[in-house]
Amino acid sequence: SEMCIRDRNGALVLADQDRILSKAWELGDCNNQFVLMIVSKEGELVFLRKGVLSEQDKADFYETIEKYK
């Protein structure tokens, strides 16, 4: 199957069913996991979390996106 992409409030939501992105970006095992990534306009991966987000992960996420507002 192919990768699904849709725009939601300016964000891209990807269903990487064939593991194209996880292999290309060397993300390791992301199978059946929620993966949250923030990539800067320059293409730098500035935030990555896999699986269930802890409260600290959520705080780190919001801190990271504040830098790019």
Side-chain angles (χ1 to χ4, degrees):
S1 61
E2 59 188 38
M3 184 182 303
C4 301
I5 302 173
R6 66 186 162 118
D7 190 350
R8 178 184 283 172
N9 299 321
L12 290 177
V13 179
L14 307 173
D16 191 16
Q17 297 165 339
D18 294 328
R19 299 186 187 116
I20 295 166
L21 185 65
S22 63
K23 289 177 185 173
W25 284 50
E26 299 177 357
L27 299 176
D29 183 15
C30 297
N31 194 28
N32 296 321
Q33 293 189 53
F34 174 78
V35 179
L36 180 59
M37 299 170 46
I38 299 175
V39 180
S40 71
K41 289 181 181 180
E42 295 75 32
E44 179 185 359
L45 180 62
V46 295
F47 184 88
L48 172 67
R49 295 295 187 282
K50 297 185 230 178
V52 178
L53 297 177
S54 68
E55 290 304 313
Q56 184 62 54
D57 290 336
K58 293 174 189 177
D60 293 345
F61 168 78
Y62 287 112
E63 181 180 323
T64 301
I65 62 171
E66 279 299 316
K67 296 174 188 174
Y68 296 94
K69 283 188 171 183

